Amino acid sequence: MALLEIDDIHVFYDKIEALKGISVSVEDKQIVTLVGGNGAGKSTTLRAISGLLHPRHGEIRFDGRLLTGMGAHDIAA
């Protein structure tokens, strides 16, 4: 099982779809980086993982725990 699993998340800013089905799997002790040009979705992806933004579709799990829908303060704790 992966330490971080992002499965088909879609994130919107109002009616603008910023992330269109992102899926990522990160194993324990694996180092991963997000690269891309301006507007590629790097910051939006990290905001969704941290709970600052909530995907309309898809799931985010950390160490098997569902993070989708949790607040940033709960995720940080």
Side-chain angles (χ1 to χ4, degrees), residues 24-52:
V24 177
S25 179
V26 180
E27 300 297 327
D28 187 30
K29 299 182 184 176
Q30 186 177 23
I31 297 173
V32 176
T33 184
L34 294 174
V35 294
N38 291 345
K42 302 175 300 290
S43 295
T44 301
T45 301
L46 294 174
R47 287 181 180 126
I49 293 168
S50 66
L52 296 172

Side-chain angles (χ1 to χ4, degrees), residues 11-12 17 20 22-24 27-28 39 41 46 50 62-63 73:
V11 178
F12 289 75
E17 189 173 16
K20 301 176 181 182
I22 300 295
S23 294
V24 177
E27 300 297 327
D28 187 30
L46 294 174
S50 66
F62 182 78
D63 202 17
H73 61 282

